[in-house]
Amino acid sequence: MTERVRVAVIGGGPAGLTAAAALAPSVAGDVLVLEREVETGGIPRHSDHPGYGLRDLRRFMSGPEYARRLTGSAREAGARLETEAMVTGWAGPRTLEVTSPRGRRLVEADAVVLATGARERPRPARLIAGDRPDGVYTTGQLQNLVHLHHREVGRRAVIVGAELVSWSAVLTLHEAGCRTVLMTSEYDKPEAYTAFRVPGRLAFGVLVRARTRVVAIHGKGRVTSVEIENLDTGQRHRVPCDTVITTGDWIPDHELARAAGLDLDEGTRGPRVDTSLATSVPGVFAAGNLLHPVDTADVAALDGRHVAAAVLGHLAGEPAPGGGVPLVAEAPLRWVAPQLVRPGGPPPSRGKLLLWSDAFRTLPRVTATQDGRVLGRARLPWPAAPGRVFRVPYSLVAGADPAGGPVRLTLA
Amino acid sequence: MTSYDVAVIGGGIVGSAIARLLGGADLSVALLEARGDVGDGTSKANTAILHTGFDAKPGTLESRLVARGYHLLGEYAAATGIPVERTGALLVAWSQEQLDALPGLRDKAARNGYTACEIVDAAEVRRRVPALGPGALGGLTVPGESVICTWTTNLALATDAVNRGVRLLRGHRVTAVHQGADATRLTTTAGEVTARWVVNAAGLGADRLDALFGHDRFTVTPRRGELLVFDKLARPLAPCIVLPVPSSAGKGVLVSPTIYGNVMVGPTAEDLSDRTATGTSEAGLAFLWEKAAALMPALTEEEVTATYAGLRASAGRDDYLIDLDAGQRYLLVGGIRSTGLTAGMAIAEHVAGLLGEHLDLAQRAGLPAPPRMPNLGEAFTRPYQDAAAIAADPEYGRVVCFCERVTRGELRDALASPVPPADLEGLRRRTRVMNGRCQGFYCGARVREIFEGENE
């Protein structure tokens, strides 16, 4: 069976729902959101604490409330939301294979928006050795266990990573009656904002150890301890605990992007997109944390709003723009998104380039050069720090010569 | 206390195959497993290759039983739906010494009755496996080597045994043996079991059980093998099994597609003394990572989905140790290493041959048909892809585990099967649930709920 729709949005999280809400009123025909979970809303649904909706809705609300709000908006705009519907592959450039309890079918769309999000690398991907006991979770799984399934966790947790999401794990553990006895970070200092770290430490008594890695997990049946190593001295010791949370270390859910043969970016591992969020395949667009693993939910949502213009252009028969100048992030910058500046293209969402840094800079200076010529330079008042997105004004690269070579972004 | 004609100790592939075969005769048979589930020891964590037996030591019992088992299990797989992918293997020579060894290996294969091997040059090696790292000098093809699902094999045999009336006693670890004139009384962690005959197929524990029967003939050394499993997106890199050329330095590390659509690199080989040391080691993982980078550099750009360590029973000898003691009414099946997956059904046949002199093993009429096992193989249709199955039962369209695309219907079926899982690990082995790249990020909590809900 084949169903025809105007736009298929894959993923009913903040980016997908917002894209659908933006598109549905302007599109003649179906805007179908395919969500594989039982409910739409994405990851915020699992995060039962405030902090959502600031940039897109100008409100401050809990994750579940935010998820409900975005779902309502998409529905009211006229988008069709289908849950428990998983896209498992492609039967053509814009034809999706979909499995749901309602059957197995093909969905053929004039435009596809990939909004499949990102997830945390679990323990095996981090090559942490040792036993395989119960009690080792990613933040996502922890939140799912505690907030949606109301499960017990242990009493003493060690958190691997000290990103923003790591503190979210502390909150969740606290709520579940589990004390965080240690957070480890391989970086020179803990990644998350001082604004979180200091109250976090005071409120929850969390010890954060930088330049530390977890080398092994011990325990039969249930975790009994982790072995940590001081990266400077090589000294090791065991920390007794019954729960280990691996946090951060994001990877986009890029299976469908890869299966479609989209050009991928080596840094983000998501699709390479231009500032309009068009991928390398005409009619296929991408938005949200699939492109920048991982920014906050509201920034993902704003991508969804931003991508609508390019989708409408494609539906109106505008040809896909060609050419363009690639953006290259130089170490210690790990990646930049979007990666392509096209002549005549729009500025990116919010007029910002998103970057990821592997080093701290308190007053970072970013320089954009093209063919040895400085295009732009800025000293930014906000820090560059590992574990969270570093935002840079697009104006730095806006003057790139469309016929020139790659634009290199450096951090000093 | 029930008394049985035969008690088979060990619910791995070998013990399950033996119990299944004996269960077809007019005998009462018990299958005792120390752990909570069948196939939870050596059988669950091997390289899952259906071996032709090309590289066995000619003239050994192992060589004969592997060659025979290859056909028996191949046919049984077709009858039961155990997934098998006939990928073939390629032994790759990376040094002159290894290149020089290829003709000898081809001749050895022929002496094992396997004549399909061909020596190929470096260009052909590259054509067959383009992603191979630089430096391959040549290779030997083994077209018959295949990948198989070791979990389903074990479950099919155990299910078949249960369907034939074998009493499966899980959580029965044998702690003492009392031999009487007509029967042997086994003390287990879950009560006593009496049987006229006892078959010891206890794998890693076979030597200790053998000692309880008063023997001192071999020692099992647990040999740890660690494995890296790469994401399914890497699968095109490994179109066939890439084997090392065995050398003085040991059997070496292979790169193999898995039946679930992943790529596996391993195993390491490390003799230990602790029979419970199934954890991975830093050194092992680092070694495998280096090997992966050398053998197939593109692998290091892919994600690692899982890391495993398994223990195989190394008996310090070159052959299986299968011995019947008529006076004790006791039969030892020891020293079965990783080839036991392939050889299991042939071992059972061999065991039946030995026991047949003392017991009537004529197969009963009207035996139940072999079970039809759910397909876990990536190369074959799975429920989420099956429009007809979903139309008939919407639960096959309800995907619970997104990475492995396991549906609610499959979880339900596994929980209601004749050998239901004892825990989440058992559910993983029956369905692939939570075995994917996210390792439970999305579905872990839901799966736990389904598992516990069904058990209430």
Side-chain angles (χ1 to χ4, degrees), chain B residues 317-406:
Chain B
R317 41 181 288 135
D318 276 344
D319 205 352
Y320 295 166
L321 177 53
I322 302 182
D323 188 51
L324 181 140
D325 184 329
Q328 286 189 303
R329 294 176 316 280
Y330 167 64
L331 195 153
L332 167 67
V333 186
I336 313 296
R337 35 196 178 184
S338 68
T339 52
L341 162 60
T342 302
M345 296 187 77
I347 292 171
E349 210 179 55
H350 179 71
V351 163
L354 298 174
L355 282 175
E357 294 178 20
H358 308 275
L359 293 164
D360 179 8
L361 297 184
Q363 300 282 291
R364 279 179 284 136
L367 284 177
R372 193 68 205 168
M373 303 303 289
N375 166 46
L376 301 190
E378 189 71 4
F380 312 99
T381 305
R382 299 192 38 238
Y384 83 87
Q385 298 168 302
D386 189 340
I390 299 167
D393 182 350
E395 292 296 287
Y396 292 125
R398 191 160 274 137
V399 181
V400 173
C401 166
F402 302 135
C403 304
E404 297 295 310
R405 295 159 179 192
V406 181

Side-chain angles (χ1 to χ4, degrees), chain B residues 102-114:
Chain B
L102 297 180
L105 286 165
R106 184 188 52 193
D107 297 346
K108 183 177 168 189
R111 278 186 281 142
N112 282 319
Y114 190 76

